[in-house]
Amino acid sequence: MEAPQYVAARVQQALAEDARTHELGIRVDIRGDQLFLRGEVSGFEQRERIGQVAKESVPDLHVHNEINVVEAPRPGEDEHLD
């Protein structure tokens, strides 16, 4: 059985190299047969694509997509800080 850190590294490499995601900022944690994706992205579609690429990379693990979607301000829109 492959060590968890190698599985996590393989998933992170897939997320970075896959044309659908090109994602570098996602944390991948493995616990037993569970894989956890954590981080932030700017859209629901990107979140779903990351989950899909991870599932394709490790089909034998149960993927928990815990990535948060944060709304990025649109260009030209003032950012309001409270």
Side-chain angles (χ1 to χ4, degrees):
M1 184 168 170
E2 198 174 6
Q5 64 267 28
Y6 294 122
V7 176
R10 195 171 77 231
V11 172
Q12 285 180 315
Q13 183 176 4
L15 293 175
E17 294 178 354
D18 193 288
R20 294 168 290 176
T21 52
H22 291 300
E23 193 62 58
L24 297 172
I26 300 302
R27 202 165 76 243
V28 178
D29 296 312
I30 310 266
R31 292 198 192 99
D33 66 348
Q34 312 287 307
L35 181 145
F36 296 86
L37 298 170
R38 296 187 177 103
E40 294 183 344
V41 295
S42 60
F44 286 102
E45 296 85 4
Q46 181 69 351
R47 180 183 186 274
E48 294 305 309
R49 283 192 295 265
I50 291 168
Q52 186 61 40
V53 170
K55 284 178 185 156
E56 291 170 9
S57 303
V58 286
D60 50 328
L61 296 184
H62 183 73
V63 175
H64 298 274
N65 191 339
E66 299 180 353
I67 297 169
N68 292 318
V69 176
V70 292
E71 291 297 320
R74 285 188 275 279
E77 202 173 273
D78 289 336
E79 205 174 318
H80 298 288
L81 302 175
D82 294 327

